[in-house]
Amino acid sequence: MPTSNDMQKVLDIQDKNLLFEEDCVSYALFKNHYCKFIYCTLSYMPTACKHCGEPNQNYSIYKNGSQTSSVTFPTTGVTPTYLNVKKQRFKCKNCQRTFTASTPIVQENCFISNFIKAAVLVNASEARSVKNIALETHVSATTVQRL
Ligand SMILES: [Zn+2]
């Protein structure tokens, strides 16, 4: 059975806080396409609060539910791929505010992985049409233009 570590290698993910469990890959129809969904969990103990900067001491920051986001990922094999990340949410006892675990794989409040952004930029430097790049990287033409 592949381990979480193997999955990270297959997907070129260096963030060790992203954990993959057994049977984390499934196929489903999405936007009329047969797509691959890869499920993983993002969790760690934050060292400080993202809002007030208070260091995490004596459990001053505690786990507070989770939030799942679906991120467009580069095609693996021949199937459009989405990474479903279940992100840990935290609450700070000092400022009473909540925040979500973050990962370098994707910017906060963005649903397109940084890998896709990099692929769009590489393709764009080869002077290819916006429509072609959009088709190949599975994002909209508007996103290609914006990047
Ligand atoms: Zn705080």
Side-chain angles (χ1 to χ4, degrees):
M1 270 289 143
T3 61
S4 191
N5 201 20
D6 290 331
M7 282 299 292
Q8 290 176 347
K9 282 182 196 160
V10 167
L11 299 171
D12 289 324
I13 287 174
Q14 265 121 39
D15 186 353
K16 297 288 174 205
N17 295 325
L18 281 167
L19 290 181
F20 297 84
E21 285 168 26
E22 261 181 51
D23 302 319
C24 60
V25 185
S26 69
Y27 291 87
L29 267 181
F30 181 62
K31 293 180 185 168
N32 291 322
H33 287 284
Y34 200 54
C35 297
K36 192 187 294 177
F37 290 90
I38 304 173
Y39 295 84
C40 63
T41 309
L42 174 67
S43 189
Y44 52 85
M45 257 304 148
T47 50
C49 171
K50 268 189 193 177
H51 299 294
C52 66
E54 185 79 5
N56 185 13
Q57 284 168 338
N58 299 321
Y59 306 101
S60 61
I61 296 172
Y62 57 96
K63 290 180 177 178
N64 187 254
S66 63
Q67 179 194 336
T68 301
S69 51
S70 190
V71 177
T72 311
F73 214 69
T75 297
T76 54
V78 294
T79 319
T81 304
Y82 295 89
L83 199 63
N84 268 32
V85 190
K86 189 177 172 193
K87 297 173 180 170
Q88 182 69 56
R89 285 190 59 77
F90 303 103
K91 189 162 184 180
C92 169
K93 279 182 188 167
N94 188 49
C95 67
Q96 299 298 323
R97 292 172 75 184
T98 57
F99 57 95
T100 311
S102 54
T103 168
I105 301 301
V106 59
Q107 273 168 22
E108 261 171 88
N109 305 317
C110 180
F111 299 97
I112 298 164
S113 77
N114 287 334
F115 294 160
I116 292 274
K117 288 185 180 176
V120 166
L121 292 176
V122 166
N123 284 329
S125 67
E126 291 169 356
R128 305 187 27 216
S129 84
V130 166
K131 203 179 160 195
N132 261 335
I133 297 172
L135 271 175
E136 201 165 290
T137 50
H138 305 289
V139 293
S140 71
T142 323
T143 300
V144 173
Q145 266 160 344
R146 201 178 59 233
L147 287 171

